[in-house]
Amino acid sequence: MKLLDGRATSASIKEEIAQEVEAFIAKGGRKPHLAAILVGENGASVTYVNAKVKACEKVGFESTLVQLPDTISEEALLAEIEKLNNDATLDGFIVQLPLPEHIDESKVTMAISPEKDVDGFHPENIGLMALNLPTFLPATPYGIVQMLERYEVETSGKHCVVVGRSHIVGSPMSILMGRNAYPGNCTVTLTHSRTTNLMELCRTADILVVALGKPEFVTADYVKEGAVVVDVGITRVKDDSKKSGFRLLGDVKFDEVAPKSSFITPVPGGVGPMTIVSLLRNTLQAAKSRE
Ligand code: NDP
């Protein structure tokens, strides 16, 4: 078993990005600038946004955090997005999800200008991805494919089973793994809560990507000997022994599954850090395309 170490991989990619940024600025380019909109004070969202802002500083980007109250109306949030769309000093921005219930997330996604949509969620960017044309790839699936590439995981002709079909993880992941590219060229099965024979399907996977948000759902019974296992899930569970009062669990029962797998991501320290790196990559790409 080999660990797909997202922390180490993301650290070396961040160094590469920092060097690219230096070279870009030395040639007269402007510092890449990423903004994040945070609505409300959801604990996990605050942590994720802070990690993104910190990562920007680390690679030499400028970053702006726009904090808005969770009482903000949909209309006012859309007006803020329009401001960022028109802000020429910004290369890209994200709106941290989830949003309060009174705000329609799909309206928000659609309002972000595709050229600044460095999370890669806008339908135009999803369409370009599906056609294998250059675009901003959605951050989490992009992070996973970068990790598979770094570890030279063979994907061509393999059966990839994706558990979960969300717009931000499972669905785009299934598209990327099925593309005529590396990593890709898999035969893909996309599963969800209505799938009737989930365990049987998972047991046929050479590459199993799990993104359903149910801690330790995937046990050893779901996994074929020698499979590559990518655990996207992050759930906070109460743990009084921790200073923070919680610990993070993935969707895969790591201790059981690891001995059966050829490669596996830990939680934390697997997919999470790679997601942030993708955001940085997309922002640098946006900055370069604007010069
Ligand atoms: P969603 O809740 O949006 O989607 C969950 C998906 O899992 C749905 O498609 C749902 O099916 C499916 N599902 C739920 N229960 C079952 C089941 N029993 N069997 C099969 N499929 C099931 O989640 P996200 O994709 O946004 O996130 C998934 C997990 O990944 C979460 O823990 C989240 O915190 C984490 N995450 C981690 C990131 C990272 O950077 N590491 C980034 C984003 C998310 P249906 O469509 O039928 O409802």
Side-chain angles (χ1 to χ4, degrees):
M1 182 277 288
K2 200 166 175 184
L3 210 58
L4 292 168
D5 185 342
R7 224 170 251 147
T9 310
S10 70
S12 57
I13 297 179
K14 273 187 212 157
E15 271 172 33
E16 290 164 23
I17 294 176
Q19 282 169 13
E20 276 183 56
V21 171
E22 256 181 47
F24 179 62
I25 294 170
K27 275 201 232 145
R30 193 191 63 201
K31 252 188 180 194
H33 185 185
L34 173 74
I37 296 184
L38 174 63
V39 180
E41 284 168 9
N42 171 298
S45 294
V46 172
T47 309
Y48 295 146
V49 164
N50 286 337
K52 288 168 188 176
V53 169
K54 215 167 112 194
C56 283
E57 285 162 15
K58 188 132 199 231
V59 298
F61 287 8
E62 201 173 314
S63 65
T64 301
L65 178 57
V66 182
Q67 278 181 287
L68 302 169
D70 59 7
T71 49
I72 191 168
S73 68
E74 186 178 280
E75 201 184 357
L77 176 59
L78 293 175
E80 284 291 335
I81 290 172
E82 196 49 25
K83 252 198 254 168
L84 300 192
N85 281 339
N86 295 320
D87 182 344
T89 71
L90 267 185
D91 295 299
F93 66 98
I94 60 159
V95 178
Q96 184 66 42
L97 302 177
L99 291 169
E101 271 184 10
H102 65 276
I103 297 173
D104 180 346
E105 280 186 5
S106 60
K107 263 196 201 162
V108 167
T109 304
M110 305 274 257
I112 299 172
S113 158
E115 296 82 44
K116 290 195 174 177
D117 169 41
V118 285
D119 250 340
F121 295 162
H122 192 282
E124 189 173 316
N125 289 325
I126 300 278
L128 289 166
M129 171 186 68
L131 297 171
N132 209 0
L133 292 168
T135 185
F136 301 124
L137 298 178
T140 300
Y142 184 24
I144 297 170
V145 295
Q146 286 183 83
M147 186 143 65
L148 296 175
E149 193 175 7
R150 292 276 161 153
Y151 280 87
E152 297 178 349
V153 173
E154 183 57 76
T155 60
S156 180
K158 304 291 181 192
H159 183 206
C160 176
V161 174
V162 180
V163 184
R165 59 175 162 187
S166 71
H167 294 167
I168 62 168
V169 187
S171 292
M173 191 66 214
S174 70
I175 294 171
L176 287 177
M177 294 307 274
R179 295 197 308 181
N180 185 0
Y182 175 74
N185 276 318
C186 287
T187 305
V188 180
T189 303
L190 181 60
T191 67
H192 44 77
S193 66
R194 309 288 175 91
T195 301
T196 49
N197 52 344
L198 185 67
M199 191 191 282
E200 279 160 52
L201 286 169
C202 289
R203 285 167 75 99
T204 66
D206 302 305
I207 301 171
L208 181 60
V209 181
V210 190
L212 76 164
K214 293 201 159 51
E216 301 192 323
F217 180 93
V218 169
T219 55
D221 295 339
Y222 281 75
V223 179
K224 180 167 89 172
E225 200 68 49
V228 176
V229 180
V230 176
D231 186 357
V232 184
I234 306 179
T235 306
R236 285 179 169 206
V237 289
K238 199 170 171 313
D239 185 342
D240 292 333
S241 71
K242 301 271 177 197
K243 213 170 95 191
S244 58
F246 66 86
R247 70 198 156 101
L248 300 178
L249 281 185
D251 287 345
V252 173
K253 207 161 184 173
F254 185 88
D255 293 346
E256 274 186 19
V257 171
K260 284 185 98 173
S261 49
S262 55
F263 290 94
I264 186 166
T265 57
V267 175
V271 175
M274 293 304 296
T275 297
I276 295 183
V277 153
S278 307
L279 193 61
L280 300 176
R281 274 240 167 277
N282 281 342
T283 306
L284 180 56
Q285 185 184 318
K288 285 182 172 173
S289 69
R290 227 160 267 127
E291 285 295 311

